[in-house]
Amino acid sequence: MSSLVDAGLTVHVQEGAGRHAYALDAAYRAAGAAVTPEDPTSESDVVVSVQPLTIDQASTLKPGAVTISFLQPANERELLEVYRDRRVTSFSFDLLPRVTRAQSADALSSQALVAGYRAVLVAAERLPRFLPMFTTAAGTVPPAKVLVLGAGVAGLQAIATARRLGAVVEAYDVRKAAGEEVRSLGAKFLELELETQSGVYASVQSEEFLERQRELIGDHVAASDVVITTAAIPGRKAPVLVTTDMLKAMAPGSVVVDLAAESGGNYAGSVAGQETWVGDVLVHGALNLPSSMPVHASKLYSRNVLNLLKLMIADGAVAPDLSDEVLDGCCLTHDGQIRKESP
């Protein structure tokens, strides 16, 4: 906040906006912002939010206004049309290019860090057994077995957290390079007889590949007490990695936390925001897990927003230059045009 004020911008915050993240109105005022009792959207040149604006809010924006938020074009066609018609320039963190210059603004990664950590705590709370090994006078309690599918930012944080809690952890990712990162955290990397990817980020796979993948990971799912799935591709439906038959083969009381539930789920039966029993196995369809850890999720997100805004600020004003590859890559609407269609 103070960095934006120092850059010459006037910042308005809606009263109570930070309450759930324990950021009080007094703290915003101390940082130089003006706290307003009404929604300042219609009077603002730049509107920053976490979730996309509502249609009603978007309909009040000034022509030429700038918005920054998470916004998946596949899910928000009507909103994009409002932005287009009002000649709003909108940016989405969901489409931020995966280039070095953009890393400090990568809100998907920062929130995935929070989600991966939180996913293990959700699983541990619901699992009817210990995660670590205990040696007691009554006998030895073996450690729980955790399987993490997907070793991106969320997956790696889930691995690290499960290991800290004493679980035995296995992980799989289609990217061979992820194996070194998984092993560095003390987990076993599953080497499946499948074609691997060489890129930094996972890409879409064919249904034939996914079918073979499911065949090979089935036994590992069945042997696990906890499965955490993290495979998601921005703007697309999540790949199905886990089947009902796999869940039925798991021990009673096992837990699956599906971080991809909001985009269709790595288990097709996942419902975002709900818990579903498949036989005696609990499936937790994760919904906005970072919001359950609002303090650090908000601090990380605010830094991402600031770093993206820095690319647009010139002489005390926000003036996006779309010749910049980072801004061009995540700009959805500009000058009366929808620039990025749904995949």
Side-chain angles (χ1 to χ4, degrees):
M1 191 68 66
S2 58
S3 297
L4 296 178
V5 174
D6 292 343
L9 303 183
T10 300
V11 182
H12 293 267
V13 178
Q14 186 174 3
E15 189 176 274
R19 180 174 63 253
H20 297 298
Y22 304 96
L24 304 181
D25 291 343
Y28 288 117
R29 292 190 183 97
V35 177
T36 61
E38 303 297 330
D39 184 348
T41 298
S42 62
E43 303 299 321
S44 301
D45 299 306
V46 181
V47 179
V48 174
S49 60
V50 180
Q51 302 302 327
L53 299 182
T54 65
I55 297 298
D56 289 342
Q57 287 176 313
S59 299
T60 69
L61 289 168
K62 297 178 180 179
V66 173
T67 69
I68 299 173
S69 69
F70 287 106
L71 198 167
Q72 291 194 13
N75 301 331
E76 301 289 350
R77 180 68 192 190
E78 184 180 359
L79 180 59
L80 291 181
E81 291 173 352
V82 174
Y83 285 164
R84 176 198 63 197
D85 295 343
R86 297 194 67 80
R87 305 185 76 81
V88 169
T89 299
S90 60
F91 295 91
S92 172
F93 284 112
D94 287 293
L95 301 180
L96 192 78
R98 299 299 184 92
V99 296
T100 301
R101 284 186 59 242
Q103 285 182 349
S104 63
D106 189 353
L108 280 176
S109 291
S110 72
Q111 301 309 294
L113 176 80
V114 182
Y117 172 82
R118 187 66 175 177
V120 177
L121 302 187
V122 168
E125 183 180 23
R126 287 154 177 76
L127 189 69
R129 56 163 300 163
F130 292 124
L131 259 69
M133 181 181 74
F134 285 101
T135 301
T136 74
T140 298
V141 177
K145 297 178 181 178
V146 175
L147 174 64
V148 178
L149 298 177
V153 175
L156 291 173
Q157 186 55 228
I159 292 167
T161 304
R163 288 285 297 140
R164 291 188 195 105
L165 292 177
V168 172
V169 184
E170 291 184 329
Y172 170 72
D173 195 284
V174 296
R175 298 165 299 123
K176 187 174 182 179
E180 183 176 345
E181 295 176 299
V182 168
R183 295 185 191 97
S184 72
L185 294 172
K188 177 183 177 182
F189 185 72
L190 299 182
E191 301 276 3
L192 303 184
E193 295 178 0
L194 285 168
E195 179 183 351
T196 59
Q197 294 182 7
S198 58
V200 177
Y201 303 103
S203 57
V204 180
Q205 298 288 345
S206 68
E207 184 55 38
E208 292 76 12
F209 178 95
L210 291 173
E211 180 61 34
R212 178 59 178 158
Q213 186 180 72
R214 288 189 286 266
E215 290 176 5
L216 294 175
I217 66 174
D219 289 343
H220 296 279
V221 171
S224 301
D225 301 296
V226 171
V227 176
I228 296 175
T229 66
T230 72
I233 301 171
R236 295 182 181 271
K237 188 178 184 300
V240 175
L241 307 179
V242 177
T243 66
T244 297
D245 287 341
M246 293 181 198
L247 299 186
K248 290 181 176 178
M250 296 178 75
S254 298
V255 177
V256 175
V257 178
D258 190 348
L259 289 181
E262 291 180 70
S263 57
N266 296 140
Y267 168 60
S270 295
V271 180
Q274 295 185 25
E275 294 188 337
T276 306
W277 285 94
V278 180
D280 292 318
V281 174
L282 179 66
V283 178
H284 179 91
L287 176 63
N288 195 12
L289 276 189
S291 68
S292 64
M293 301 200 71
V295 172
H296 283 115
S298 296
K299 287 183 177 180
L300 292 169
Y301 184 68
S302 65
R303 182 59 60 177
N304 297 141
V305 169
L306 174 62
N307 290 329
L308 186 61
L309 273 171
K310 282 180 177 179
L311 299 179
M312 308 181 197
I313 297 173
D315 301 322
V318 176
D321 178 2
L322 298 186
S323 65
D324 183 307
E325 66 170 333
V326 175
L327 299 182
D328 174 66
C330 62
C331 181
L332 281 170
T333 60
H334 177 69
D335 198 24
Q337 300 290 327
I338 296 177
R339 305 177 73 251
K340 300 285 192 303
E341 296 290 347
S342 303

